[in-house]
Amino acid sequence: MRLEQYTQPFASSFYKKYLGDAASLSSFFHYDWNQKALNHRINETNFSKHKRTELVENVTNYMNQFGISETAHKHLNELEDNGVVIIGGQQAGLLTGPMYSIHKAISVIVLAKQQREILGVPVIPVFWIAGEDHDIDEINHVYIERGRKLQKATYPSATKVKKIASASVLEKDLMESYLEEVFKSLPETLYTKKIYEKVTNLLRDYHTYSDFFAALMNILFEEEGLLLIDAAYTPFRKLESEYFQVMIKNSAELARLVFEKEAEYVGNGYGTPIQAKEAAANLFFVEDGERFLLERQDHLFVHEAQGISFTEEEMLEIAKNHPEKLSNNVVTRPLMQEMVFPVLSFIGGPGEIAYWGTLKSAFELFNMKMPVIMPRLSITVVNAKTQSLLDKFSFSVEDVWDGTVDAVKLQYINEHRNENIPELLKSIKNDLVLKYEELSNLLHTEDIKLDPLINKNLNNHEKQLKFIEHAIEDIFLGKLDASINRYDRIMLELAPNGSLQERIYSPLQLCNEVGPSFIQELLQVPYEFNGKHHVVFI
């Protein structure tokens, strides 16, 4: 494998600022994202306040259902003693979701290994699964290739009720049919059958989005000892009970601080990543797998549409005795993560880093500092076929992202186009318009009023000309198809749907092509946490 590094493509103005000049954003973050900051973080933070025994018991019990490797056992023992964690998380996407879910896990693992060596203390990789998320439309699909285009293949759920991911069941028959459709879209390789059997076998034991996701992640990263925890795991909620109570008591102040900090964001031109409200309770109430966002209204915690209403005392009672009925939102999840885990660094993507910056005052409210927010590794994989095409046309990977490849493709098409054809069609259309106008004027002199019929007739002629024009274009492009396809193939591989590869493709496609060991091979690349986009040639 060969590694090249590039400036981040498609980055927002805020993310570019964070990558290039994080020090200028010190009013939004407690630390920069360099080694000096990591050193400072570990030296000044009191990591003894965490309930390590209860935490390790929760993670162990959760992971037992998937299998705990020898390395994971070692990490659990270290976590119970004095270890610190590198943590990142993601929604429980089907087949792990887009590749950036894998890149987050790789980031967590790689940074933990690097810091273990540099700091000389146990640094443990942890992946937080957002099983409490109820936006199923974001996780119920993968993109597959149909007719040389990428289309969304969505799991056809039999229910329209949006439960949290950890309570949303994947029906075995539907899921088997769905997986069959997905795998049929892949080219048959030496690895296809083995991967298909391994994935479908998981359906026997794992029935929700979260469990299916966790089982796959555990298979992919068990050798690395990656620790997994589902945010919606009921025993884990009990560990969070006292922290829910603290958040409830400080709910009004928390909402005010976040609202004001986001107003600072707006003033600096960074938008509203959270869209904070002063009346927000920043907690969900969960019932029968559905969750309802609460707001504060007249000293009550309410969800008007569902007729839900609690006093503060009732909320505290729920937090104490039924914490599984509460769920964090975008504001309280980072706070809860810090309260529960001894976090050295949080691995975040562009969107996450943007909203974390609105939480500095929120952390301070609870006498905490946010951890070092490390940008996750951003990776594009270039296979041998794509590399060959890049070489053939003398394109760089950046040419794909900046529109050069599309421009060259269009130039190639236009160079082979007979411009006399569209000019003649245009001339025919103009002549028709003039002749019909002449006819209309002549009829008016005879007091014959047929304008609607004339216009309809002209419109029919124009439709027929447009039909001919499209037919000519289809045949013309068909003659150039082999050459055009080479340009399209480069774009499809490296900028699918006009986005980064990691945001569209599932790891399934690459594992099918390279083999099940592909993820382990990716882990061997000498990555740098430098804010660059890493391009790996395989």
Side-chain angles (χ1 to χ4, degrees):
M1 290 189 176
R2 176 168 58 88
L3 175 66
E4 293 182 359
Q5 299 180 40
Y6 296 88
T7 300
Q8 283 286 349
F10 310 123
S12 67
S13 59
F14 178 83
Y15 195 49
K16 287 178 182 176
K17 186 82 167 177
Y18 189 78
L19 295 177
D21 187 18
S24 67
L25 298 172
S26 60
S27 62
F28 302 112
F29 300 93
H30 286 108
Y31 301 99
D32 203 334
W33 55 276
N34 52 33
Q35 190 59 50
K36 182 179 178 180
L38 290 162
N39 295 343
H40 193 194
R41 169 74 174 173
I42 199 163
N43 289 328
E44 73 169 1
T45 307
N46 177 16
F47 292 117
S48 65
K49 58 185 169 68
H50 297 89
K51 300 178 181 178
R52 290 177 178 268
T53 300
E54 294 92 329
L55 174 60
V56 169
E57 182 180 340
N58 267 275
V59 177
T60 302
N61 290 339
Y62 174 72
M63 290 190 66
N64 270 333
Q65 61 188 311
F66 309 110
I68 303 178
S69 68
E70 184 178 335
T71 307
H73 271 299
K74 172 192 169 188
H75 287 162
L76 286 165
N77 291 333
E78 291 175 334
L79 181 57
E80 188 166 12
D81 186 12
N82 66 341
V84 295
V85 307
I86 306 294
I87 193 167
Q90 187 59 36
Q91 297 160 296
L94 281 182
L95 299 168
T96 79
M99 272 297 295
Y100 66 73
S101 297
I102 300 300
H103 298 164
K104 279 188 179 180
I106 290 173
S107 302
V108 167
I109 292 166
V110 171
L111 186 60
K113 285 182 177 180
Q114 290 178 359
Q115 293 307 308
R116 179 182 287 259
E117 184 174 340
I118 292 170
L119 299 175
V121 299
V123 184
I124 301 143
V126 176
F127 198 92
W128 176 296
I129 301 168
E132 61 193 355
D133 199 306
H134 65 275
D135 197 345
I136 301 302
D137 289 342
E138 290 190 359
I139 63 174
N140 65 356
H141 61 273
V142 297
Y143 285 90
I144 61 176
E145 188 173 345
R146 286 190 178 123
R148 293 181 0 199
K149 291 185 178 180
L150 289 177
Q151 296 181 6
K152 187 184 290 186
T154 303
Y155 166 71
S157 174
T159 176
K160 299 301 180 184
V161 177
K162 285 192 175 183
K163 295 188 175 184
I164 62 174
S166 292
S168 295
V169 175
L170 299 168
E171 297 182 36
K172 190 172 184 293
D173 290 344
L174 279 177
M175 191 60 181
E176 284 179 344
S177 297
Y178 175 74
L179 290 175
E180 186 176 349
E181 176 192 9
V182 171
F183 273 85
K184 278 183 178 178
S185 74
L186 301 174
E188 185 77 25
T189 70
L190 294 172
Y191 315 109
T192 308
K193 184 176 180 181
K194 183 178 180 181
I195 296 173
Y196 177 73
E197 289 175 351
K198 182 169 284 191
V199 171
T200 53
N201 284 343
L202 293 177
L203 290 174
R204 291 199 304 259
D205 301 311
Y206 308 108
H207 313 296
T208 67
Y209 278 93
S210 291
D211 287 350
F212 193 67
F213 175 89
L216 275 172
M217 292 293 282
N218 196 52
I219 289 172
L220 292 173
F221 295 105
E222 61 183 343
E223 292 181 24
E224 302 297 328
L226 180 66
L227 302 186
L228 305 170
I229 187 66
D230 183 349
Y233 181 51
T234 297
F236 192 60
R237 284 284 186 252
K238 294 177 181 177
L239 174 62
E240 296 175 333
S241 172
E242 73 170 87
Y243 308 127
F244 276 131
Q245 294 175 58
V246 172
M247 290 176 182
I248 291 165
K249 290 176 182 177
N250 291 276
S251 178
E253 181 68 1
L254 173 61
R256 182 186 69 81
L257 290 171
V258 174
F259 183 81
E260 290 177 354
K261 185 58 73 172
E262 190 168 57
E264 269 189 65
Y265 250 48
V266 174
N268 284 275
Y270 301 137
T272 55
I274 289 183
Q275 298 183 328
K277 297 180 180 179
E278 285 190 282
N282 293 306
L283 288 172
F284 288 89
F285 177 71
V286 182
E287 191 167 45
D288 296 327
E290 293 185 75
R291 68 175 191 165
F292 307 98
L293 186 61
L294 300 175
E295 291 192 353
R296 292 175 296 101
Q297 191 178 101
D298 299 326
H299 304 290
L300 297 174
F301 292 74
V302 305
H303 186 289
E304 283 190 313
Q306 291 295 318
I308 295 171
S309 177
F310 301 109
T311 65
E312 182 175 306
E313 291 72 22
E314 288 171 330
M315 284 289 290
L316 290 170
E317 189 277 332
I318 292 170
K320 182 178 180 181
N321 298 313
H322 300 285
E324 71 280 1
K325 290 183 174 292
L326 296 178
S327 173
N328 295 297
N329 80 334
V330 67
V331 170
T332 51
R333 185 200 56 76
L335 297 170
M336 185 65 79
Q337 180 179 280
E338 180 68 18
M339 292 169 175
V340 173
F341 282 94
V343 182
L344 173 65
S345 177
F346 170 73
I347 296 285
E352 289 170 307
I353 292 174
Y355 76 70
W356 269 72
T358 67
L359 303 178
K360 184 176 183 180
S361 301
F363 273 80
E364 292 169 353
L365 175 63
F366 299 103
N367 300 311
M368 303 185 300
K369 284 187 175 182
M370 63 173 68
V372 176
I373 313 298
M374 188 68 68
R376 70 165 173 81
L377 294 170
S378 180
I379 305 169
T380 288
V381 177
V382 183
N383 62 23
K385 290 180 181 177
T386 306
Q387 184 175 348
S388 176
L389 287 173
L390 290 173
D391 293 341
K392 177 180 178 63
F393 293 107
S394 298
F395 288 138
S396 71
V397 176
E398 285 181 306
D399 289 335
V400 183
W401 297 328
D402 67 14
T404 299
V405 173
D406 259 343
V408 172
K409 169 190 163 183
L410 183 60
Q411 180 183 355
Y412 172 81
I413 291 172
N414 288 334
E415 285 173 351
H416 289 77
R417 190 186 299 281
N418 186 337
E419 292 298 336
N420 292 326
I421 295 173
E423 287 178 7
L424 180 58
L425 287 170
K426 184 179 179 180
S427 175
I428 292 171
K429 180 181 176 181
N430 291 337
D431 287 347
L432 280 169
V433 171
L434 288 173
K435 291 299 181 183
Y436 270 89
E437 187 177 336
E438 185 180 338
L439 175 61
S440 178
N441 292 335
L442 181 60
L443 292 175
H444 282 174
T445 63
E446 299 294 326
D447 197 25
I448 300 173
K449 299 178 180 179
L450 289 176
D451 284 357
L453 179 60
I454 289 172
N455 290 335
K456 181 179 180 180
N457 200 256
L458 175 60
N459 188 49
N460 286 337
H461 277 295
E462 289 177 337
K463 285 181 178 178
Q464 287 300 311
L465 283 172
K466 183 63 70 174
F467 178 80
I468 292 172
E469 185 179 357
H470 287 161
I472 292 170
E473 184 73 2
D474 287 344
I475 294 171
F476 164 65
L477 293 177
K479 289 182 177 180
L480 303 179
D481 182 67
S483 297
I484 292 174
N485 183 45
R486 289 181 291 190
Y487 295 107
D488 289 343
R489 177 54 53 183
I490 293 172
M491 296 297 297
L492 194 68
E493 290 289 334
L494 303 184
N497 293 357
S499 184
L500 282 175
Q501 178 194 82
E502 64 181 8
R503 304 197 69 83
I504 302 296
Y505 282 113
S506 158
L508 178 66
Q509 281 102 332
L510 289 166
C511 286
N512 180 64
E513 180 181 345
V514 182
S517 64
F518 171 67
I519 303 300
Q520 286 301 313
E521 293 175 29
L522 267 188
L523 278 160
Q524 306 309 312
V525 176
Y527 302 106
E528 296 178 73
F529 287 90
N530 56 10
K532 298 290 187 180
H533 185 79
H534 294 69
V535 178
V536 179
F537 294 82
I538 59 174

